[in-house]
């Protein structure tokens, strides 16, 4: 079996051995692949592995040998799934490998807003504390999480893990679906009620036709004055201009995100100039432990396919 990895660098810049995958066939690794290079690189491939490189119906039509596409991620919107099914190409993904890591960065962002540890650490290195008369000082609000309400939108594996951590902090937890006209069940809250009552709103829902850009001015207007908004899900959920305006006006106290609509960030992204916008470079999933789980499952998915028993097929 000829196996081609189109964008190895994202999940494995060189710190994880590739022997588990190489045991399954003749492997060719590319750190990055441009759209115009995909067909040439996959022309002799039986199996393609991709993270963010798109494989469209048009590309599949030019690759009659291709029988398998392994997405090295949970989201598989980079693949035309209908086209793959029509061409008898199996597509797999890797669910739930990053749950703990994404929940962790959700609270890294929240604690950064509440305690400003980075700000004070840098301030002190620059001599700010040595100039004070009192033994302590603070120049930002210091927020205790106990008793605050965290509203979680999207209650899958990550949303539930975030809820578990929040309860350990003594927080009140509510959750709601992002889907329009969703049935309210399993202790869920209506979305409008969640927005009106939550001190912090954290997004953990997929990007879909119902949720693309749904966090807009109308959505934000329903939130509490001075609420904190966290997005460790998908940048496409957000109208970034509306969020930036809410930060400038003070309607939102902070926006914490690990993902943007366009990645890497565009120089004119309005969030880059907005106050209290805390942005990390889509690396919530990228702890060493999570990436090892990811790549192990990628290899296991391909092995199962070779044995005629596909797993994690989408």
């Amino acid at each position: 079996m000829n196996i081609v990895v189109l964008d190895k660098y994202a999940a494995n810049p060189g710190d994880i051995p590739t022997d588990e995958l190489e045991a399954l066939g003749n492997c060719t690794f590319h750190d990055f692949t441009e759209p115009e290079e995909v067909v040439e690189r996959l022309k002799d491939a039986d199996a393609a592995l991709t993270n963010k490189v798109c494989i469209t119906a048009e590309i599949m039509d030019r690759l009659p040998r291709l029988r398998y596409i392994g997405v090295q991620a949970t989201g598989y919107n980079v693949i035309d799934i209908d086209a793959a099914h029509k061409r008898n190409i199996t597509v797999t993904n890797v669910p739930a490998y990053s749950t703990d890591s994404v929940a962790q960065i959700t609270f890294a962002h929240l604690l950064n807003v509440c305690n400003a540890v980075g700000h004070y650490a840098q301030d002190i290195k620059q001599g700010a504390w040595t100039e004070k008369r009192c033994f302590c000082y603070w120049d930002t609000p210091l927020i205790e999480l106990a008793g605050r309400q965290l509203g979680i939108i999207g209650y899958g594996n990550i949303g539930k893990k975030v809820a578990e951590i929040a309860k350990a902090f003594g927080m009140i937890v509510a959750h709601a679906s992002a889907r329009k006209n969703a049935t309210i069940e399993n202790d869920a809250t209506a979305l409008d009620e969640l927005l009106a009552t939550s001190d912090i709103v954290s997004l953990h829902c997929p990007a879909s036709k119902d949720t693309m850009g749904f966090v807009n001015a109308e959505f934000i207007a329903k939130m509490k004055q001075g609420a904190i908004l966290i997005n460790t899900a998908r940048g496409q959920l957000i109208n970034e201009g509306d969020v930036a305006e809410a930060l400038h006006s003070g309607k939102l106290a902070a926006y914490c995100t690990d993902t943007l609509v366009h990645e890497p960030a565009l120089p004119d992204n309005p969030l880059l100039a907005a106050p209290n916008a805390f942005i990390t470079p889509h690396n919530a999933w990228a702890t060493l432990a999570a990436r090892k789980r990811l790549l192990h499952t990628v290899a296991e998915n391909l092995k199962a396919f070779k044995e005629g028993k596909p797993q994690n097929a989408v």
Side-chain angles (χ1 to χ4, degrees):
M1 173 180 279
N2 289 333
I3 305 162
V4 176
V5 182
L6 292 172
D7 50 353
K8 170 181 174 288
Y9 187 89
N12 187 7
D15 55 351
I16 301 174
T18 57
D19 52 316
E20 192 173 11
L21 189 61
E22 292 181 86
L24 299 175
N26 177 36
C27 292
T28 303
F29 297 96
H30 302 282
D31 280 345
F32 302 95
T33 295
E34 298 301 325
E36 63 272 15
E37 297 175 320
V38 174
V39 172
E40 177 63 24
R41 290 184 171 180
L42 293 182
K43 65 181 181 181
D44 296 320
D46 303 293
L49 301 182
T50 179
N51 190 315
K52 290 294 182 287
V53 177
C54 294
I55 301 180
T56 63
E58 180 185 6
I59 288 173
M60 294 178 206
D61 283 339
R62 299 169 66 185
L63 300 170
R65 181 168 174 166
L66 189 66
R67 297 269 57 86
Y68 177 89
I69 301 171
V71 181
Q72 300 186 110
T74 301
Y76 47 87
N77 57 306
V78 296
I79 310 300
D80 187 327
I81 298 297
D82 289 339
H85 290 170
K86 289 176 183 176
R87 291 158 180 78
N88 197 31
I89 297 172
T90 297
V91 181
T92 65
N93 73 334
V94 184
Y97 74 93
S98 64
T99 297
D100 289 336
S101 293
V102 176
Q104 179 177 308
I105 205 170
T106 300
F107 278 89
H109 270 296
L110 181 55
L111 291 170
N112 176 58
V113 172
C114 293
N115 294 94
V117 172
H119 161 70
Y120 289 111
Q122 187 62 35
D123 232 17
I124 289 166
K125 285 184 177 180
Q126 295 173 350
W129 200 9
T130 61
E131 301 168 356
K132 302 301 181 185
R133 183 175 181 180
C134 186
F135 75 95
C136 68
Y137 81 96
W138 59 93
D139 56 9
T140 67
L142 298 175
I143 301 167
E144 184 174 88
L145 291 177
R148 302 268 180 166
Q149 180 168 305
L150 173 66
I152 298 170
I153 301 178
Y155 207 55
N157 291 325
I158 297 173
K160 289 173 182 174
K161 187 68 177 183
V162 168
E164 179 185 331
I165 297 169
K167 289 174 183 176
F169 274 103
M171 302 183 75
I172 301 163
V173 175
H175 66 90
S177 173
R179 292 182 291 108
K180 295 177 181 177
N181 303 316
T183 302
I184 300 173
E185 55 187 16
N186 298 327
D187 300 319
T189 302
L191 181 58
D192 285 359
E193 180 183 345
L194 178 143
L195 295 178
T197 57
S198 294
D199 302 289
I200 302 107
V201 173
S202 191
L203 305 177
H204 300 286
C205 49
S208 68
K209 63 180 181 180
D210 283 337
T211 61
M212 298 282 278
F214 86 122
V215 180
N216 54 18
E218 180 182 0
F219 177 104
I220 296 166
K222 297 174 182 177
M223 295 176 67
K224 290 179 72 172
Q225 179 69 28
I228 298 166
L229 177 63
I230 304 173
N231 178 18
T232 55
R234 289 288 181 262
Q236 290 75 17
L237 301 173
I238 305 294
N239 181 313
E240 292 175 337
D242 288 354
V243 171
E245 178 57 35
L247 290 168
H248 283 291
S249 71
K251 173 65 176 179
L252 288 177
Y255 175 55
C256 309
T257 186
D258 186 57
T259 180
L260 298 174
V261 174
H262 297 287
E263 297 171 343
L266 299 177
D268 61 351
N269 187 308
L271 292 171
L272 299 181
N276 298 320
F278 301 97
I279 305 167
T280 48
H282 204 143
N283 62 9
W285 63 280
T287 62
L288 181 60
R291 289 186 294 111
K292 283 182 175 179
R293 283 193 295 270
L294 168 69
L295 295 176
H296 172 70
T297 305
V298 166
E300 287 294 300
N301 284 350
L302 183 52
K303 181 181 179 182
F305 169 77
K306 285 187 67 177
E307 294 172 350
K309 302 174 183 178
Q311 65 179 24
N312 296 319
V314 296

